[in-house]
Amino acid sequence: MAAHCPECEADVEVQGLMVGEITFCPDCNAELEVINVEQPEVALAPEVEEDWGE
Amino acid sequence: MAAHCPECEADVEVQGLMVGEITFCPDCNAELEVINVEQPEVALAPEVEEDWGE
Amino acid sequence: MSRVRVAIVGGSGYTGGELIRLLLFHPLVEITQVASGSQAGHFVHSAHPNLRKISTLRFCYPDDLTSCDVLFLCLPHGVSSGEIERYRTLAPRVIDLSGDFRLRSPELYRRWYGHEHKAPALLSEAVYGLPELHRSELSEAALVSGTGCMATTSILGLAPLYRAGIVKQSIPLVLEAKVGSSAAGAKAGPASHHPDRSGAVRSFEPTGHRHTAELIQELGQPGSELQQLVAFSATAIELVRGILVTAHVFLNERLDERAIWRIYREAYQREPFIRLVKERNGVYRYPEPKILAGSNYCDVGFELDVEQQRVVVIAALDNLMKGAAGNGVQALNCMFGWDETLGLTFPGLHPV
Amino acid sequence: MSRVRVAIVGGSGYTGGELIRLLLFHPLVEITQVASGSQAGHFVHSAHPNLRKISTLRFCYPDDLTSCDVLFLCLPHGVSSGEIERYRTLAPRVIDLSGDFRLRSPELYRRWYGHEHKAPALLSEAVYGLPELHRSELSEAALVSGTGCMATTSILGLAPLYRAGIVKQSIPLVLEAKVGSSAAGAKAGPASHHPDRSGAVRSFEPTGHRHTAELIQELGQPGSELQQLVAFSATAIELVRGILVTAHVFLNERLDERAIWRIYREAYQREPFIRLVKERNGVYRYPEPKILAGSNYCDVGFELDVEQQRVVVIAALDNLMKGAAGNGVQALNCMFGWDETLGLTFPGLHPV
Amino acid sequence: MSRVRVAIVGGSGYTGGELIRLLLFHPLVEITQVASGSQAGHFVHSAHPNLRKISTLRFCYPDDLTSCDVLFLCLPHGVSSGEIERYRTLAPRVIDLSGDFRLRSPELYRRWYGHEHKAPALLSEAVYGLPELHRSELSEAALVSGTGCMATTSILGLAPLYRAGIVKQSIPLVLEAKVGSSAAGAKAGPASHHPDRSGAVRSFEPTGHRHTAELIQELGQPGSELQQLVAFSATAIELVRGILVTAHVFLNERLDERAIWRIYREAYQREPFIRLVKERNGVYRYPEPKILAGSNYCDVGFELDVEQQRVVVIAALDNLMKGAAGNGVQALNCMFGWDETLGLTFPGLHPV
Amino acid sequence: MSRVRVAIVGGSGYTGGELIRLLLFHPLVEITQVASGSQAGHFVHSAHPNLRKISTLRFCYPDDLTSCDVLFLCLPHGVSSGEIERYRTLAPRVIDLSGDFRLRSPELYRRWYGHEHKAPALLSEAVYGLPELHRSELSEAALVSGTGCMATTSILGLAPLYRAGIVKQSIPLVLEAKVGSSAAGAKAGPASHHPDRSGAVRSFEPTGHRHTAELIQELGQPGSELQQLVAFSATAIELVRGILVTAHVFLNERLDERAIWRIYREAYQREPFIRLVKERNGVYRYPEPKILAGSNYCDVGFELDVEQQRVVVIAALDNLMKGAAGNGVQALNCMFGWDETLGLTFPGLHPV
Ligand SMILES: NC(=O)c1ccc[n+]([C@@H]2O[C@H](COP(=O)([O-])OP(=O)(O)OC[C@H]3O[C@@H](n4cnc5c(N)ncnc54)[C@H](OP(=O)(O)O)[C@@H]3O)[C@@H](O)[C@H]2O)c1
Ligand SMILES: NC(=O)c1ccc[n+]([C@@H]2O[C@H](COP(=O)([O-])OP(=O)(O)OC[C@H]3O[C@@H](n4cnc5c(N)ncnc54)[C@H](OP(=O)(O)O)[C@@H]3O)[C@@H](O)[C@H]2O)c1
Ligand SMILES: NC(=O)c1ccc[n+]([C@@H]2O[C@H](COP(=O)([O-])OP(=O)(O)OC[C@H]3O[C@@H](n4cnc5c(N)ncnc54)[C@H](OP(=O)(O)O)[C@@H]3O)[C@@H](O)[C@H]2O)c1
Ligand SMILES: NC(=O)c1ccc[n+]([C@@H]2O[C@H](COP(=O)([O-])OP(=O)(O)OC[C@H]3O[C@@H](n4cnc5c(N)ncnc54)[C@H](OP(=O)(O)O)[C@@H]3O)[C@@H](O)[C@H]2O)c1
Ligand SMILES: [Zn+2]
Ligand SMILES: [Zn+2]
């Protein structure tokens, strides 16, 4: 069972990760914090807006 | 058995072709006239120098 | 299993060359003949230098074509419809990459091409060869049409939103295509002269572009054309292969980003050649045609302006691959019930 | 007549370098100082290699700037509004090329820039430095704002149609800008890394682009903002200098081509830097940014779809010239009542 | 047969990304880990966007690498020689693509790299991983070095003439390399900033280029260095992938074209990745790097000036393929006795 | 003072267009006629879109040319020498940009052009129009020849070393030119077709290039040809305007860098259009053609390998400017005793 990305709802695998660890959404690349592993859940990590240079 | 390109000595297949027919060298792309099919032989066809535009 | 025997007409051109390249590595296909009026007798690598040492095929004259299982036509617009009868005697299944058999309706054809079709009776029979939309029809099809390269990009980008019924059709649909020089084919001329074409940002057919007709046909409700006003314009840019289409769509309801994600995922998650590209970070956040060169992917992304209820859809592909020859091979795979990815696994390069 | 004494802040950047190049050849101007934090002490040709043997100027520290007649600010967004008071003590007239003083309304600024302006009181005083629209205001102006490069292209392309009152404002205005890499400035980073940026067709800010605000301000009725929905998106393409904007405008009446020609001619026939480009033949039928590199022209063309009552407007310029430094010099010429073309006569190259 | 387990260090860079792309499609290999200090945790497609939907691999930290059968090192120059002991504990066979283990002689290394080697004892053990020259040594090799991209092009172009003993070594050998931007790696900086790098024809290291050392080693008689003076210079041009080397060689006897053809044919006719390109007609008469992008070919051509007894040798390849990762995979295939073309059959594109 | 009346034949081509652009802004010249067989009747901006709104000149038929003070010939090789008598009746002074009158010796011409010259008697009279080498002869010249674009670059780069007598002539001189597409003129064809020419690194005439003859003539001792073996090869790269030549010269004595600097400075410090470029830092360390587009500079740099007694000379220019039309205008200025920089002050762009 996978968590869902709060940004785009993609399945996010949390197996093997620990609560508090950072992972990334396979689809939208959002930086995600693992909230729960048993009941898989992730939240958006606080993000610094990158200067994209355009 | 193949003929040899007079330009670069590549093997040139003449099987299935007739004497007088035009073929091309697989290596140097020279335009070749079939001279003999039994004793495979080809000769350079008279060539117009292409304008290469540089 | 013996290989399916495929021949190609117009093999000295760009889509023809791409087909040769793909089919030479296709595990279930054998190329029997490649015809070219101007290159007959030459090795295929004299027109397609990438094929040196890979194939010793030579071009034959179009008149010397013999029968085969599938015949690909890679000819300029208007040629195949005039000779289609002869070509159909050569093979039970014909795939025509030109614009001649893309439209189902002779009226739509006349409206956008400006003249009568030469074989109107065949139009209803031909299948618009886009597997993502017409997969099931392809399995039985005897006459398959290739798809317009910019039309394909646009349709694959937009179809999910139209199918979901969320587009507000009272507002015109505006699409802007950016396209590389290979889309205009292998024939040299003043418009393709490097000092002038290089670095160009050249508007062409800002109104009235023929690919619009395919959008009208394919985005409409099944069986009826789209009545929405479609404003399609194209700009040739510094690029050899590749198309990027930016489309502005207005929604008939207020949706959030996740809802749009859901619609695209449902539409495309089982599609082998469609990827959703929408990232929050990095340099490659949206579809980018250059990394698709040689691949059969169509990458689709979007951005939502919640307040304006506007979705900007961004779609990209390689015009010679998913926009022409690659899609043709995928259609061929469908026609024979094969794995659709056969011969089409090259992933594209980065950097490039 | 003694020359007007001009200094430049941010002189190591791209717009700064372009200003130096132009002003070195301006007959009525003398460059007194060019400031750069990172290059102080270096010759200007170390940052701008084209100026080797042309000038022996060296960069000074920004803190070493002394007073002058006109001060150009060529700084990143957000910097000048924070230090504007100091800069105004150095010169009675300041021209700021950044986005900081382009908008008249603090609300419009907040809406599009996402934060409060640092010197809102000055906004009403500053002049939007586009001579074609604000020529008369420039002669007295003490604080002049440069204009957004994509905004300038769009506004110059569209203003005649809006002024003529023929645009149907119930339909959204859709604009697509194609832009080169110099528009993002001289600072290197992953987004400008050549292997990734080269050949790119990169969507950025498909929604919410800040230049939209300038369109809303300048295309609206004098004194009030445009209420029409504006959908502006931008795509970075393989190009160093240059912008091409394609805009789709719907008309509120049925007009023919000649009517549109007439509107543009009336608007622009006396403008030294606007050319109408719309040809029926040849390769250069519509505006093309590449032949504008280094020139101050904005080329404008259009295509009409009579049936759809749609005009596709196509406008092009060099972002560092008419989109920034060249337009700044033109504004300077206006401010001093000089011939507007002084220092700006380079016609552009072909081929290029 | 179970797949060979391969791991990659430096996987976020360009040669690392190319290796991932190739090995994901290699029938006898499994990628176990890909390490990156900066991208650990990210999917490989975040650094290599072409791999989206193709692999769900994630980067690991270099410290988290576990043991495997083969370890590829794709690190900047000077890094691997400092940590080679640790890497060798992870895998019985290591392939290092950097310059650290290319030279057999510590003296040659010091002379061209300007400092002492960090692990000189290993130099004699390592194999210069160019299959065309060191095929047999590869089968037993535990430490294999990748080859310099411009050196590889030069060596493959020239080796047949040197092996044939026809080069007049009293005249200096002059080589000029033209090279694309990806050869400098994935790290952004002022030199790779698009507005400056685009359209560049930039001389770098006109004298003293380190790749010269590889030529001296590999073109010399087996066991002894070339004593001939080698003048190698390189020019960065507008290109992302690709190298073309032009070399001027003088002969010690009067030979005709067919003699040169014979020498090259004998040397290369059984080589799967070398093609001789020398045509009398058409546009692609000599090697052309652009059609090699993504392929593992090295194309070699020549022109003879009979009177001057001079041969101009022209050789081209893709620096990330036959110049780095592709050659690395070919070497891997040699090491395991596999068909050398496994994973390397992509033919390159045309047009492109 | 009344302006000098100048006419141009071959005005629809690239060098012709560049001449028009330059002379329209020349303060002492008036263009009376511009002839073109294919464009007669058309405005000059139909062939040269950059001249829109700048000139209302129209092309005339070549047969309609009337007399003028100076006639520029911008015709393909071999044309002007066949019609030179007629052209000389039209004007007392003729400047021919083609290769027809570059060589002083009919034998040298025959050796490199492969056929007899059509007007050999004129060869000794014509002046090789490179002001840096033949300034004094130009003032009286009635027939002036333009110079080969790659030859000019090479000669300007090397002449100081040859004049200084420090070149070891027993070692062949090897030169490699990198050149853009505009050098091949305005005529479209397969070799200039954008999808094939774009991104090309195309060797052409690796041996036997005609520009070699100019080097032999101009680098030799005054009055006698260079006997040294000259190995010149050229590679067409992705670039529209611009040439970079890399030359490898061996010295007959051991010199240090300062000695070479001194030689170049003495040769060129009073030359308005030659700049020495050799920096230890930054991105633009050596000559770079892209920043020369539109300018008349020839930038020259070098690198010394003290041990090898080898100098790598690097020289760059814009083939249509210092390599053709710009140099032609400079020669014109010399012929009339004017300031050589008249009409030639555009400094080039950065970035570009
Ligand atoms: N290029 C694209 O991106 C693209 C994408 C989608 C669809 N298409 C469509 O695919 C078709 C082929 O495009 P292409 O780009 O491959 O064109 P192309 O490069 O111009 O090649 C067309 C080929 O057709 C042959 N041909 C030309 N005129 C002919 C005639 N009157 N009768 C018979 N053969 C003729 C030519 O070969 P010989 O002269 O040697 O016989 C030529 O090689 C077009 O209809 C095009 O609209 C192209
Ligand atoms: N590029 C265009 O096409 C274009 C067009 C229209 C408008 N603009 C606007 O013009 C302005 C300048 O653009 P540009 O392209 O010239 O930018 P740029 O190339 O990045 O140059 C900006 C210059 O500002 C200086 N600078 C940077 N940060 C600073 C700070 N915090 N305080 C003081 N100085 C600082 C830098 O010089 P030092 O570090 O050496 O001091 C740098 O040379 C921007 O606001 C831009 O939006 C640009
Ligand atoms: N590019 C070519 O065409 C080419 C051709 C032949 C040979 N080579 C050689 O192959 C090697 C790799 O080249 P490349 O082009 O792939 O370079 P690259 O793109 O710059 O990648 C190098 C990788 O090494 C990692 N890295 C950087 N510094 C490191 C350090 N101090 N310790 C550990 N890891 C470090 C970086 O990843 P993280 O920061 O994410 O760890 C980076 O992704 C170089 O030695 C180069 O000379 C390159
Ligand atoms: N391009 C360069 O970088 C460069 C540099 C140095 C020297 N050159 C030399 O300058 C000359 C012109 O070069 P270009 O690049 O300007 O060539 P181009 O662009 O091809 O123009 C040549 C012009 O000559 C006219 N023309 C062609 N054939 C003719 C004929 N048989 N009789 C009379 N007029 C004819 C054509 O105009 P119409 O058909 O309209 O009459 C054409 O516009 C060449 O000799 C070239 O070698 C060129
Ligand atoms: Zn997500
Ligand atoms: Zn041959």
Side-chain angles (χ1 to χ4, degrees), chain F residues 23-39:
Chain F
L23 295 178
L24 283 172
F25 291 89
H26 193 293
L28 303 178
V29 162
E30 174 195 3
I31 303 181
T32 54
Q33 288 183 301
V34 182
S36 158
S38 67
Q39 302 283 314

Side-chain angles (χ1 to χ4, degrees), chain D residues 284-304:
Chain D
Y284 293 84
R285 302 183 185 195
Y286 299 107
E288 176 67 78
K290 72 173 191 155
I291 60 162
L292 302 177
S295 96
N296 199 46
Y297 290 111
C298 175
D299 283 356
V300 176
F302 68 89
E303 195 66 36
L304 175 69

